[in-house]
Amino acid sequence: MWPLYAAGFTTAFGAHGIAANLGGHTHDAVTSLLVLGGLLALYDGAEVLLKPVFGTLADRVGARPVLLGGLVAFAAASAVYAVADSPGWLWAARLGQGAAASAFSPSASALVARLNPAAKHGRAFGSYGFYKSVGYTLGPLLGGVVVWAGGLRLLFVVLAVLGAAVAVWAGLAVPAVPPLPKARQTVLDLARRLADPAFLTPTTALAAATAALSVGVGFLPVSGRVDGLGTVATGAAVSVLAGCAAIVQPRAGRALDEGRLTTRTGLTAGLLVTAVGMACAMLPGLTGILVGAALTGAGTGLITPLGFAALAASTPAERLGQTMGAAELGRELGDAGGPLLVAAVASYTTLTYGFGVLAVLIGGVAAVVFAQRTVPRTAAEA
């Protein structure tokens, strides 16, 4: 399992480590906010388009080859800009990293499910989510240190080495998991399965959690600056959010496996806590920001392992890659849609109302999840 945890860390570290340092250290390549936005969107845009494709490919040829190929491609894409320092190659490298992450991220999720018994899926996905959250937390910090020491090219060198090392580690340690035989699936069959509440309910919860996480990371520092807080205080708020998410995930997964928590109850509670966290972010001053960050992190940390465990429980083993890829697509849409919603509301009113609208929306998702009688039950619940 450790190489799979490392793969989750790699995609998170690569996404946030570079994104946090593009604007301040690439004046020759980032000539405007529009260019910066395009570079930031490349990584997520590639994931939105390609994760379902690579998830389906993992079901067809096996998750391990897609995992290894994605990690090797990530290392190669990172090496492109490390070797050729030019604005054009920066765009190519960022696009290549996003496409590669689209391959190894859903493959890693599928392998987490395949390599663990159903009764331990909560703990397995909790641990996987923990190390991914560590990557999101340390990416801006360690990435900033690396860029300070040797520039953006050095950070791409570090990512190339990291991707290659994880690929070698996974090649040596992750066992071959052959694809399972499966009945022929038509497009209509796929549409029916993805429209089933057993898929939609946990995926919607995951998308809501990711939206809140993205909004917290992006807009809580802005709210802090409006209140006159310094960069240390706003940076601490983001660290509290990511840290709470990382701490809660393994514990939530363990509680699910031990029968102390059900999927339906856990998802509902996580969504409600997240909604309250967004509501607390509306309060002025450092207290509102820190409490909002802590609750948002805790809520998203509760949702993530339970959502993935529910998806694994409701999916035939031979279709795990496809389901994880489609679920990751839902998360990416939440990652983009949450900030867009808050920004749109804030542009007409204030950021406070943006937090409030998202809180109401997530609270509504919690009500829908609680009312659902078809939330998948994991093996521990059964």
Side-chain angles (χ1 to χ4, degrees), residues 116-250:
N116 287 275
K120 293 185 178 180
H121 276 172
R123 189 173 306 181
F125 280 112
S127 298
Y128 179 74
F130 169 81
Y131 288 102
K132 205 165 184 178
S133 294
V134 170
Y136 285 129
T137 305
L138 296 183
L141 176 62
L142 294 183
V145 171
V146 171
V147 171
W148 171 80
L152 191 67
R153 289 179 70 187
L154 180 59
L155 179 55
F156 274 86
V157 171
V158 170
L159 290 173
V161 173
L162 177 62
V166 176
V168 172
W169 190 9
L172 294 174
V174 176
V177 181
L180 297 172
K182 49 186 174 289
R184 187 165 178 250
Q185 176 182 251
T186 66
V187 174
L188 184 58
D189 293 332
L190 174 61
R192 285 172 177 165
R193 189 159 62 82
L194 297 185
D196 192 314
F199 172 83
L200 283 179
T201 300
T203 301
T204 302
L206 288 168
T210 308
L213 191 64
S214 183
V215 166
V217 170
F219 287 101
L220 283 178
V222 177
S223 181
R225 286 195 295 271
V226 171
D227 289 335
L229 302 176
T231 56
V232 174
T234 56
V238 175
S239 297
V240 165
L241 190 155
C244 288
I247 291 171
V248 169
Q249 288 192 58

Side-chain angles (χ1 to χ4, degrees), residues 39 48 70 95 112 127 167 169 286 355 365 373 376:
L39 281 169
V48 167
L95 179 62
V112 168
S127 298
W169 190 9
L286 181 60
F355 289 140
V365 175
R373 301 296 177 183

Side-chain angles (χ1 to χ4, degrees), residues 1-5 63-64 67 107-121 124-125 170 173-178 312 317 320:
M1 292 298 297
W2 284 104
L4 302 181
Y5 299 154
R64 185 175 179 272
L67 172 77
S107 300
S109 297
L111 284 167
V112 168
R114 288 286 303 275
L115 295 177
N116 287 275
K120 293 185 178 180
H121 276 172
F125 280 112
V174 176
V177 181
L320 275 171

Side-chain angles (χ1 to χ4, degrees), residues 3-379:
L4 302 181
Y5 299 154
F9 174 87
T10 299
T11 183
F13 183 82
H16 279 202
I18 294 178
N21 292 284
L22 277 174
H25 301 278
T26 53
H27 301 295
D28 57 332
V30 180
T31 56
S32 68
L33 289 176
L34 182 62
V35 172
L36 176 60
L39 281 169
L40 292 173
L42 270 180
Y43 195 99
D44 290 333
E47 290 189 311
V48 167
L49 292 174
L50 296 177
K51 273 185 174 179
V53 176
F54 282 116
T56 302
L57 181 64
D59 289 333
R60 182 170 299 175
V61 303
R64 185 175 179 272
V66 179
L67 172 77
L68 298 179
L71 287 166
V72 170
F74 185 87
S78 302
V80 163
Y81 183 70
V83 174
D85 182 12
S86 70
W89 285 113
L90 176 60
W91 285 81
R94 196 64 177 152
L95 179 62
Q97 285 181 328
S102 302
F104 71 77
S105 182
S107 300
S109 297
L111 284 167
V112 168
R114 288 286 303 275
L115 295 177
N116 287 275
K120 293 185 178 180
H121 276 172
R123 189 173 306 181
F125 280 112
S127 298
Y128 179 74
F130 169 81
Y131 288 102
K132 205 165 184 178
S133 294
V134 170
Y136 285 129
T137 305
L138 296 183
L141 176 62
L142 294 183
V145 171
V146 171
V147 171
W148 171 80
L152 191 67
R153 289 179 70 187
L154 180 59
L155 179 55
F156 274 86
V157 171
V158 170
L159 290 173
V161 173
L162 177 62
V166 176
V168 172
W169 190 9
L172 294 174
V174 176
V177 181
L180 297 172
K182 49 186 174 289
R184 187 165 178 250
Q185 176 182 251
T186 66
V187 174
L188 184 58
D189 293 332
L190 174 61
R192 285 172 177 165
R193 189 159 62 82
L194 297 185
D196 192 314
F199 172 83
L200 283 179
T201 300
T203 301
T204 302
L206 288 168
T210 308
L213 191 64
S214 183
V215 166
V217 170
F219 287 101
L220 283 178
V222 177
S223 181
R225 286 195 295 271
V226 171
D227 289 335
L229 302 176
T231 56
V232 174
T234 56
V238 175
S239 297
V240 165
L241 190 155
C244 288
I247 291 171
V248 169
Q249 288 192 58
R251 290 165 172 78
R254 192 177 304 116
L256 178 68
D257 290 342
E258 294 174 356
R260 294 183 284 114
L261 186 67
T262 66
T263 305
R264 180 165 165 262
T265 301
L267 290 178
T268 302
L271 288 163
L272 288 175
V273 171
T274 304
V276 172
M278 285 286 99
C280 288
M282 300 172 65
L283 301 175
L286 181 60
T287 301
I289 292 175
L290 289 178
V291 173
L295 291 177
T296 300
T300 58
L302 184 58
I303 294 165
T304 303
L306 272 59
F308 278 114
L311 288 168
S314 66
T315 303
E318 66 273 15
R319 303 287 184 189
L320 275 171
Q322 187 179 71
T323 295
M324 294 304 174
E328 290 281 1
L329 169 60
R331 295 186 76 198
E332 294 297 336
L333 293 176
D335 194 18
L340 285 175
L341 172 64
V342 171
V345 173
S347 66
Y348 287 100
T349 54
T350 64
L351 186 56
T352 300
Y353 286 100
F355 289 140
V357 169
L358 184 60
V360 171
L361 184 62
I362 295 175
V365 175
V368 172
V369 171
F370 182 75
Q372 280 286 347
R373 301 296 177 183
T374 55
V375 177
R377 300 176 68 196
T378 63

